[in-house]
Amino acid sequence: MSPTVEPLIVPMATLIDASFVDYLILVIYFAFVLGIGFLAKSQVSESMDFFLSGRSLPAWVTGLAFISANLGAVEIMGMSANGADFGLPAVHYFWVGAIPAMLFLGVVMMPFYYGSKVRSVPEFMLRRFGQGAHLVNAISFAVAQLLIAGVNLYLLGSIVHALLGWPLPVALIVAALIVLSYITLGGLSAAIYNEVLQFFIIVAALAPLTILGLHRVGGWNGLTDKITAAGDAGHGPPADQQLNSWPGQALSGFDSSFWSVVGIVFGLGFVLSFGYWTTNFVEVQRAMASDSISSARKTPIIGAFPKMFVPFITIIPGMIAAVLVTDIAKVKAGETVPGGSSGDGVTYNDSLILLMRDLLPNGLLGLAITGLLAAFMAGMAANISAFNTVFSYDLWADYVVKDRDDDYYLRIGRIATVAATAIAIFTATLAANFSNVMDYLQVLFGFFNAPLFATFILGMFWKRMTPTAGWVGLVSGTLSAVAVAFLSEDAFGSWSTGVIPLGGQGAAFLAASVAFVVDIALSVGVSMVTEPKPASELRGLVYSETPVEDRTDPNEATYPWYRRTVPLASIALVMVIVLNTIF
Amino acid sequence: MSDTSATARRKPGHTAGLLDIRNIIGSLLAIDGLILLLAGIFADTEEEKTGGINANLWAGLVLLVVGVAFIAWCRLRPVVVPDDYDADHDEGRPEGH
């Protein structure tokens, strides 16, 4: 854990040569991270504080933390890999697959989350539908967080291994200990502060990389010329598909441009994206830590502004790497290149690291390594703190040991955090056995979030929906998605049977859609034959039963227009439409 | 947002100080900026990688300016910790955002 041991570990063969100045920048960052945890420790007074930071953080801090919690391994490595592989259509993951859902979360969903004072999405399920739906949701959520934390830790460890040459087990344990210390020392407040800090470091590292890359390829025109030349030579998808975001056939896997647009808008933009952003407590927890309904609603909307520009520092470097880095260009031409961060050959996942190796002098290189490590840690820290909340409040306090004082649950929370970190080291070694672990995870996300979103949206707007329908919908939705994954070509890897001739993105989209439709259909059917909850218990939980004053901020109308929710969301929507038109 | 509450303050004039997120961001960026600046002046600029640009120097300058701006913002508009909803709470609550 102590950064001073670093020079004592003899580096093995590394992908990148780090020098003294690079280590210095890294050590200073981690000194800050641990320092914040130490300073914040004295502030932790009661358990509400530890979990939701006492709801005192301003909207711009939680807004940045909101996207930083998502700016992890998948975002940075995955999106630069997609940029190298497909080109501009990868921006749909941001401008179609994220921004609309973030605005919807802020404008429509957040007043319910905030106004009903729930600490977690499972707790919302408890109050709206009762114990059946709550237990199903809390258990699957907790398990998913442990698995995802392990994947984040594995990616973090393998990057440390590739960059600095430390043995993987050492890198895993050191990373786990640092994540653990800042969560347990300071709680969510420290985690959120660190996420904001890390956002600035990532931008400070990736922006110079993008500018230097564009300089080296001869600007935007030089980049398009080189991509056109490579595309015409038959390397990768045709150049015009790589240089225009629509209709994006390369990304969606559809041959028809019409079905490609439909697939991206409804598959990625609606079912998967709304399911992810509006029901994922790792994200929602960030907004709940703000100081008013108005701030909570503005959290995802403020986050949407930087979010829409993240593709410029992740996807564009990937596109540059595909023409500038010899190894990646060879991969795109269909050759096999040995080496890479996995040791099993260079892949598109290595685009960003290899571009850093080729472009950045020592110093900036250290900043870039620090930014990557910080981003991967943030993903894991977010998983662990979400697990902590759900485990201690939703599972332990509701079903195992009830009615104890705050001190007791705070202690359980700390034990859960330590245990989750230890389990993540174990699930990280499991994740190491999957060669396509990110594809696998995206399928899991799809069929976990799609039924949850269906149950939520129906339960919020239809007061007739019954408690029985709540858990039946969740269970049947998830089971039907699992069934589709088994029947597809490769969504479950070698366990899939191939009865349905669809693989990759198509299979993930189909599984999510089936889960959504089955959930809605069964929920409506079951609601017709079972008893609904009395309207008096649905206040703050169902739209029609919630008085307007419960879901609005009395001060909102007194703010100038640029601090009100809806005008801000409208500006973000217009900006994202303009971006879609330009590219 | 309105940080000034009508309720009496127990510790009048108490500011968020070091824990103000702007101070933390500002000092980290300024320190990293200074390191890069010095590396840009004294170390190998490796211009065969960057295409003839002294990348450390320029990135260092920008980081230093942004970092100092954050600290200055914090100094010019310090946060007074509110007492209105949480007795012992000491988090920074910047005004104006």
Side-chain angles (χ1 to χ4, degrees):
Chain A
M1 188 170 94
S2 165
T4 55
V5 302
E6 283 161 8
L8 298 179
I9 295 172
V10 180
M12 306 188 304
T14 59
L15 212 59
I16 284 181
D17 286 329
S19 73
F20 170 75
V21 65
D22 301 318
Y23 280 104
L24 182 65
I25 290 174
L26 189 63
V27 167
I28 288 173
Y29 180 82
F30 285 112
F32 263 78
V33 165
L34 294 182
I36 292 171
F38 187 74
L39 276 176
K41 189 183 180 183
S42 55
Q43 322 280 325
V44 178
S45 51
E46 50 174 299
S47 68
M48 241 344 242
D49 239 21
F50 184 75
F51 287 104
L52 289 182
S53 314
R55 289 196 165 173
S56 65
L57 297 168
W60 72 273
V61 172
T62 49
L64 284 180
F66 188 83
I67 59 163
S68 292
N70 175 253
L71 200 62
V74 187
E75 186 102 343
I76 294 181
M77 304 307 282
M79 289 305 140
S80 56
N82 273 345
D85 197 352
F86 305 119
L88 272 181
V91 298
H92 293 316
Y93 278 101
F94 296 85
W95 298 340
V96 174
I99 306 291
M102 289 167 78
L103 300 180
F104 179 79
L105 172 60
V107 173
V108 181
M109 306 284 270
M110 198 56 79
F112 291 94
Y113 292 145
Y114 200 92
S116 57
K117 300 274 188 292
V118 288
R119 293 184 202 90
S120 69
V121 171
E123 190 182 325
F124 188 94
M125 299 302 260
L126 176 66
R127 293 181 45 195
R128 174 65 182 83
F129 297 115
Q131 292 201 330
H134 174 249
L135 189 61
V136 169
N137 179 241
I139 290 176
S140 60
F141 183 85
V143 170
Q145 291 307 314
L146 287 178
L147 288 171
I148 300 165
V151 173
N152 275 321
L153 184 62
Y154 164 66
L155 286 171
L156 175 63
S158 66
I159 298 298
V160 171
H161 166 71
L163 291 175
L164 304 177
W166 299 356
L168 189 59
V170 175
L172 284 182
I173 291 169
V174 168
L177 283 176
I178 293 181
V179 172
L180 181 65
S181 24
Y182 89 66
I183 298 173
T184 50
L185 280 175
L188 183 62
S189 198
I192 287 181
Y193 271 37
N194 281 307
E195 283 164 6
V196 174
L197 199 56
Q198 156 226 314
F199 176 82
F200 284 93
I201 293 297
I202 289 168
V203 173
L206 292 183
L209 183 70
T210 310
I211 293 168
L212 287 174
L214 282 174
H215 174 68
R216 282 280 303 273
V217 293
W220 181 252
N221 288 334
L223 178 62
T224 55
D225 289 348
K226 287 193 168 64
I227 288 177
T228 306
D232 290 346
H235 301 166
D240 65 326
Q241 283 190 22
Q242 291 191 58
L243 293 172
N244 293 292
S245 61
W246 295 102
Q249 285 117 317
L251 184 74
S252 64
F254 287 97
D255 292 330
S256 146
S257 59
F258 173 76
W259 285 109
S260 177
V261 173
V262 170
I264 288 171
V265 171
F266 289 97
L268 181 63
F270 183 66
V271 178
L272 283 173
S273 157
F274 277 56
Y276 176 81
W277 286 97
T278 62
T279 63
N280 190 333
F281 188 52
V282 176
E283 307 294 340
V284 172
Q285 199 183 34
R286 281 2 186 207
M288 304 279 277
S290 56
D291 57 8
S292 64
I293 293 185
S294 179
S295 289
R297 293 180 73 192
K298 279 183 289 188
T299 293
I301 293 166
I302 289 172
F305 287 95
K307 178 82 179 174
M308 68 179 81
F309 296 103
V310 169
F312 291 110
I313 56 170
T314 53
I315 291 170
I316 293 194
M319 293 167 67
I320 295 170
V323 293
L324 201 60
V325 177
T326 324
D327 286 349
I328 301 293
K330 281 182 184 166
V331 168
K332 199 154 184 174
E335 296 176 35
T336 308
V337 184
S341 60
S342 64
D344 299 329
V346 175
T347 66
Y348 289 121
N349 289 328
D350 300 323
S351 302
L352 204 61
I353 295 174
L354 293 178
L355 192 66
M356 287 171 177
R357 179 195 65 183
D358 288 359
L359 294 186
L360 296 181
N362 287 117
L364 265 180
L365 186 63
L367 198 63
I369 294 171
T370 305
L372 280 185
L373 295 183
F376 300 159
M377 279 181 39
M380 178 173 168
N383 296 141
I384 301 274
S385 61
F387 171 84
N388 177 347
T389 309
V390 170
F391 181 83
S392 30
Y393 277 128
D394 294 294
L395 290 171
W396 198 263
D398 283 351
Y399 298 99
V400 185
V401 180
K402 299 176 189 179
D403 300 326
R404 297 285 289 267
D405 58 11
D406 261 4
D407 279 352
Y408 175 79
Y409 292 111
L410 194 60
R411 207 160 57 241
I412 291 294
R414 291 194 195 278
I415 294 170
T417 300
V418 175
T421 309
I423 293 170
I425 296 175
F426 171 71
T427 53
T429 58
L430 282 184
N433 294 325
F434 288 92
S435 59
N436 61 343
V437 75
M438 293 327 296
D439 292 349
Y440 177 72
L441 263 186
Q442 269 174 342
V443 174
L444 286 182
F445 273 146
F447 58 61
F448 174 67
N449 285 321
L452 190 59
F453 176 56
T455 299
F456 250 87
I457 205 79
L458 201 60
M460 262 185 189
F461 290 100
W462 192 42
K463 65 179 180 183
R464 179 73 181 75
M465 187 170 178
T466 64
T468 314
W471 70 264
V472 169
L474 281 179
V475 171
S476 59
T478 301
L479 287 182
S480 57
V482 172
V484 170
F486 269 118
L487 296 177
S488 74
E489 278 179 353
D490 59 0
F492 254 156
S494 55
W495 295 339
S496 289
T497 55
V499 174
I500 301 172
L502 257 180
Q505 284 283 308
F509 166 51
L510 186 68
S513 303
V514 167
F516 187 85
V517 171
V518 167
D519 186 315
I520 295 274
L522 277 181
S523 296
V524 171
V526 171
S527 289
M528 289 304 172
V529 295
T530 49
E531 195 64 29
K533 290 180 86 166
S536 59
E537 291 178 19
L538 298 178
R539 184 183 163 129
L541 302 170
V542 175
Y543 196 88
S544 61
E545 302 306 310
T546 307
V548 177
E549 60 268 23
D550 274 18
R551 54 185 151 84
T552 50
D553 192 321
N555 294 326
E556 173 101 5
T558 67
Y559 294 156
W561 65 270
Y562 56 86
R563 283 177 54 204
R564 289 205 299 265
T565 308
V566 173
L568 276 178
S570 310
I571 294 172
L573 194 62
V574 169
M575 282 172 69
V576 88
I577 290 170
V578 169
L579 284 170
N580 265 302
T581 317
I582 296 175
F583 290 99
Chain B
M1 74 197 58
S2 150
D3 278 355
T4 49
S5 65
T7 57
R9 295 176 189 288
R10 278 189 321 156
K11 291 182 278 183
H14 181 74
T15 59
L18 270 183
L19 260 188
D20 191 311
I21 185 79
R22 294 169 298 175
N23 264 334
I24 297 171
I25 296 170
S27 26
L28 180 64
L29 293 185
I31 292 171
D32 281 351
L34 197 61
I35 294 173
L36 290 187
L37 192 64
L38 293 176
I41 295 171
F42 297 111
D44 180 7
T45 56
E46 301 180 72
E47 295 191 6
E48 75 284 1
K49 282 186 179 178
T50 61
I53 298 175
N54 190 341
N56 278 338
L57 182 77
W58 289 108
L61 270 179
V62 172
L63 283 185
L64 194 58
V65 168
V66 174
V68 169
F70 264 103
I71 296 172
W73 178 21
C74 199
R75 284 280 158 81
L76 291 176
R77 300 186 65 182
V79 171
V80 179
V81 176
D83 293 335
D84 51 347
Y85 62 84
D86 193 351
D88 285 323
H89 215 77
D90 227 2
E91 299 287 355
R93 242 184 119 185
E95 298 173 65
H97 264 263

